[in-house]
């Protein structure tokens, strides 16, 4: 397959690949038939895409013009802009972790909340040093490869961009002995019916208390299509 220019970055999801083309933009390629890939759409950036990642029907591309652009791929033949973040100058790499997008420049790494692609905001900054060339994300850690002094690891914590995290309240929970030789416990089952891994945490909120500093247990990870049961969660996870 011939492309309209030199490729600078590549991302693949399901049946499509997206290639950042030098001095042009994004090329959307149908790869459902690997032996016969087809160019089905283009999105013009007005510059060169330095890095690109895909989340479902949305591609995030960091361009040479200093903007991070969210591109709607729901119609691969007619990709369109959903939103932009004007703080991606000198971008070198992108990594996606849930609804948090890590944007690496040669001076710092920004954690962006991209749960709403039309309004991308900075959630945190990771001090990973200067001269960053590449980054990787895994298990609440960020690895940064730097030009002069190798690789460094940095704690990021769980990706909890607030607009993207649904909260489920269990109105009553407890553990212990009851009247007439009864025993009480709270069992919780977490299911992931989706097609991607999920990350979650538990908090015990004491009735009548402020709970601003409530203990957090987690995060936990659950692969797509799986479930897990927590038996007597108050005793087992919170030690009560």
């Amino acid at each position: 397959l011939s492309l309209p220019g030199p490729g600078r970055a590549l991302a693949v999801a399901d049946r499509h690949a997206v290639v950042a083309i030098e001095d042009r933009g994004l090329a959307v390629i149908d790869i459902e038939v690997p032996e016969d890939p087809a160019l089905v759409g283009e999105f013009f950036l007005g510059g060169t895409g330095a890095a690109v990642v895909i989340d479902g029907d949305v591609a995030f591309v960091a361009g040479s013009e200093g903007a991070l652009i969210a591109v709607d791929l729901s119609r691969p033949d007619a990709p369109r802009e959903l939103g932009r973040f004007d703080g991606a100058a000198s971008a070198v790499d992108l990594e996606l972790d849930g609804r948090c997008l890590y944007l690496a420049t040669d001076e710092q790494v920004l954690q962006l909340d991209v749960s709403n692609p039309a309004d991308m905001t900075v959630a945190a900054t990771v001090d990973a040093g200067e001269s960053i060339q590449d980054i990787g994300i895994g298990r609440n850690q960020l690895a940064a490869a730097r030009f002069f002094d190798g690789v460094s690891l940095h704690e990021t914590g769980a990706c909890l961009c607030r607009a993207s995290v649904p909260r489920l309240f269990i109105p009553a929970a407890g553990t212990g002995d009851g009247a007439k030789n009864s025993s009480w416990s709270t069992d919780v089952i977490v299911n992931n019916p989706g097609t991607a891994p999920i990350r979650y945490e538990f908090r015990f909120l004491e009735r009548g208390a402020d709970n601003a500093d409530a203990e957090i247990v987690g995060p936990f990870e659950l692969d797509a299509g799986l479930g897990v049961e927590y038996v007597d969660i108050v005793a087992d996870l919170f030690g009560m």
Side-chain angles (χ1 to χ4, degrees):
L1 174 66
S2 296
L3 295 175
R8 290 287 303 274
L10 169 71
V12 178
D14 297 327
R15 56 173 290 182
H16 290 101
V18 175
V19 182
I21 304 298
E22 187 172 334
D23 296 328
R24 191 176 181 97
L26 294 182
V28 184
I29 303 168
D30 188 326
I31 57 173
E32 186 173 20
V33 181
E35 298 80 10
D36 188 26
L39 178 65
V40 295
E42 285 191 76
F43 178 83
F44 293 92
L45 290 175
T48 297
V52 60
V53 293
I54 299 179
D55 180 26
D57 288 332
V58 180
F60 298 94
V61 56
S64 61
E65 300 302 309
L68 172 71
I69 302 175
V71 181
D72 182 4
L73 301 178
S74 58
R75 286 191 53 192
D77 61 328
R80 65 183 184 90
E81 181 175 323
L82 289 175
R84 65 173 53 213
F85 170 79
D86 291 314
S90 304
V92 295
D93 199 13
L94 295 172
E95 285 287 342
L96 193 63
D97 181 19
R99 293 300 183 188
C100 291
L101 181 68
Y102 291 86
L103 166 65
T105 72
D106 58 0
E107 297 182 349
Q108 64 180 345
V109 179
L110 300 178
Q111 184 196 70
L112 302 177
D113 184 343
V114 295
S115 53
N116 179 7
D119 184 26
M120 296 177 282
T121 58
V122 177
T125 301
V126 181
D127 184 8
E130 299 181 353
S131 302
I132 300 169
Q133 303 294 302
D134 196 7
I135 60 171
I137 295 291
R139 295 192 177 277
N140 303 334
Q141 286 192 325
L142 179 142
R146 299 199 297 266
F147 185 80
F148 294 106
D149 52 1
V151 176
S152 59
L153 296 177
H154 309 270
E155 293 290 335
T156 63
C159 172
L160 296 175
C161 294
R162 292 302 171 192
S164 69
V165 180
R167 297 182 179 183
L168 174 65
F169 289 92
I170 300 174
T175 184
D177 297 329
K180 296 183 179 181
N181 297 320
S182 61
S183 295
W184 296 83
S185 67
T186 303
D187 301 342
V188 175
I189 298 175
V190 180
N191 290 309
N192 179 11
T195 59
I198 61 171
R199 184 173 292 178
Y200 58 95
E201 66 185 21
F202 294 102
R203 302 186 187 201
F204 187 87
L205 306 179
E206 185 179 351
R207 188 183 302 275
D210 178 80
N211 289 312
D213 297 319
E215 180 184 359
I216 301 173
V217 179
F220 301 93
E221 294 184 0
L222 185 62
D223 287 336
L226 298 183
V228 61
E229 181 178 10
Y230 296 89
V231 177
D232 199 358
I233 191 171
V234 176
D236 185 47
L237 291 190
F238 295 95
M240 296 182 179

